[in-house]
């Protein structure tokens, strides 16, 4: 008898219950007062009135996208120049990956090596003739610039390629080391360091941009400045995602 009364009262409770979930339009649920034939067949709203915790967390983490016309805020900050600075950070990361994280064994693997001399910095292949004598040996002929031989050997030794060059007059012999798992893992750690360095540079770009925006607070409304700062943060977040993608791809390449 008590269960039968409860089944009759449940529709009445649903009739006045207000849905308060931020993910559902707030509305008052109406339902027939009685279901004599099937007391358990109530509207879906009576059995699911609130969004799940997972859905609420997802909605909380999402923010409205901002897309400001750069021409409209150019007196505050140049968004095009800002994008250029952020892109330069990403390009610098790609350059670091190319120059320092190579596991190739052909002669081209040494093209990125930069040699520091008294006259400046030069790519190794501009100072010497690099050739592959065997799968296990690379030769660098420094006869065109013999005075840079020692500097070239030092640059090879200090690279991240685990090289141990041997100098014979103006010839530098570079035994190609076997690429071990440990070496791959060390390169992957170095890749992560480069990724963190890029994100630090990105944060500096953001900090400088926000400082520039705040300098115009006397001439702009708070809402305008807040919107511009939100646009800057959105640009930073997008570039940070690109950095993560580059790092993930390089790590996968290095670890094989």
């Amino acid at each position: 008898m008590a269960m039968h009364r409860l089944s009759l009262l449940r529709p009445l409770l649903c009739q006045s219950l207000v849905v308060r979930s931020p993910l559902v339009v707030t509305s008052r649920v109406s339902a027939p007062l009685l279901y004599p034939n099937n007391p358990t067949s109530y509207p879906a709203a009576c059995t699911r009135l609130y969004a799940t915790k997972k859905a609420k967390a997802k909605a909380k983490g999402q923010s409205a996208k901002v897309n400001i016309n750069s021409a409209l805020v150019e007196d505050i900050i140049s968004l095009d120049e800002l994008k250029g600075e952020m892109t330069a950070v990403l390009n610098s990361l790609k350059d670091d990956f190319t120059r320092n994280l190579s596991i190739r064994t052909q002669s081209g693997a040494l093209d990125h090596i930069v040699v520091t001399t008294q006259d400046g910095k030069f790519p190794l292949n501009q100072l010497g003739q690099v050739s592959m004598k065997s799968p296990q040996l690379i030769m660098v002929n420094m006869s065109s610039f013999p005075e840079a031989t020692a500097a070239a050997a030092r640059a090879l030794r200090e690279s991240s390629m685990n090289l141990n060059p041997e100098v014979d007059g103006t010839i530098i012999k570079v035994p190609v080391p076997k690429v071990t798992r440990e070496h791959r893992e060390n390169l992957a750690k170095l890749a992560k360091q480069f990724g963190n360095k890029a994100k630090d540079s990105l944060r500096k770009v953001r900090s400088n941009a926000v400082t520039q925006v705040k300098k115009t607070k006397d001439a702009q409304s708070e809402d305008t400045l807040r919107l511009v700062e939100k646009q800057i943060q959105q640009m930073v977040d997008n570039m940070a995602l690109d950095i993560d993608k580059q790092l993930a791809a390089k790590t996968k390449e290095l670890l094989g």
Side-chain angles (χ1 to χ4, degrees), residues 78 146 231:
S78 173
Q231 174 77 74

Side-chain angles (χ1 to χ4, degrees), residues 63 65 132 150 167 228:
S63 57
K65 297 293 183 181
M132 197 88 181
V167 178
V228 173

Side-chain angles (χ1 to χ4, degrees), residues 1-245:
M1 186 66 178
M3 291 297 293
H4 180 64
R5 288 181 179 177
L6 179 60
S7 65
L8 295 179
L9 287 174
R10 188 174 299 166
L12 295 175
L13 293 173
C14 291
Q15 185 180 26
S16 60
L17 187 58
V18 176
V19 180
R20 299 186 182 278
S21 168
L23 303 184
V24 182
V25 177
T26 304
S27 60
R28 192 173 297 276
V29 180
S30 60
L33 296 180
L34 296 175
Y35 292 83
N37 295 327
N38 189 2
T40 60
S41 298
Y42 305 119
C46 293
T47 58
R48 181 66 178 276
L49 295 173
Y50 296 98
T52 63
K53 291 183 178 180
K54 184 177 180 180
K56 289 180 180 179
K58 182 178 180 181
K60 185 177 180 180
Q62 293 176 340
S63 57
K65 297 293 183 181
V66 180
N67 188 14
I68 299 177
N69 187 328
S70 58
L72 299 179
V73 295
E74 59 183 6
D75 56 333
I76 301 176
I77 191 172
S78 173
L79 294 180
D80 292 336
E81 290 183 6
L82 181 61
K83 183 178 180 180
E85 291 180 31
M86 294 183 183
T87 301
V89 171
L90 182 63
N91 290 339
S92 178
L93 174 66
K94 293 178 181 179
D95 187 52
D96 281 337
F97 282 171
T98 301
R99 293 176 51 173
N100 300 288
L101 302 177
S102 176
I103 56 174
R104 297 173 298 169
T105 57
Q106 61 267 33
S107 58
L110 305 184
D111 288 348
H112 69 278
I113 299 292
V114 176
V115 181
T116 302
T117 70
Q118 293 181 347
D119 297 323
K121 296 182 178 180
F122 303 92
L124 177 64
N125 59 1
Q126 288 186 11
L127 299 177
Q129 182 180 0
V130 184
S131 59
M132 197 88 181
K133 291 303 180 181
S134 72
Q136 291 78 35
L137 182 65
I138 298 176
M139 303 281 282
V140 183
N141 188 337
M142 298 293 296
S143 57
S144 297
F145 296 93
E147 67 278 8
T149 302
R154 183 169 57 253
L156 288 165
R157 191 175 295 108
E158 293 177 353
S159 73
S160 61
M161 298 179 66
N162 194 30
L163 302 176
N164 188 24
E166 302 171 3
V167 178
D168 183 8
T170 58
I171 301 296
I172 303 176
K173 300 177 182 179
V174 187
V176 177
K178 183 178 179 180
V179 182
T180 63
R181 185 66 185 178
E182 181 183 4
H183 182 52
R184 287 178 177 272
E185 290 175 351
N186 287 336
L187 290 180
K189 291 178 182 178
L190 188 57
K192 187 175 182 180
Q193 292 177 15
F194 284 131
N196 290 336
K197 172 187 168 185
K199 287 188 175 181
D200 286 341
S201 298
L202 194 60
R203 280 189 284 269
K204 290 179 181 178
V205 171
R206 177 195 175 280
S207 178
N208 292 338
V210 171
T211 299
Q212 182 178 341
V213 170
K214 290 183 177 180
K215 288 180 179 179
T216 66
K217 64 180 180 180
D218 293 334
Q220 304 292 337
S221 68
E222 290 186 6
D223 289 341
T224 298
L225 297 184
R226 190 178 300 112
L227 195 62
V228 173
E229 287 185 26
K230 192 171 184 180
Q231 174 77 74
I232 293 172
Q233 185 61 53
Q234 183 174 294
M235 294 170 67
V236 169
D237 292 342
N238 291 338
M239 190 58 67
L241 287 176
D242 287 340
I243 290 174
D244 287 338
K245 289 178 182 177

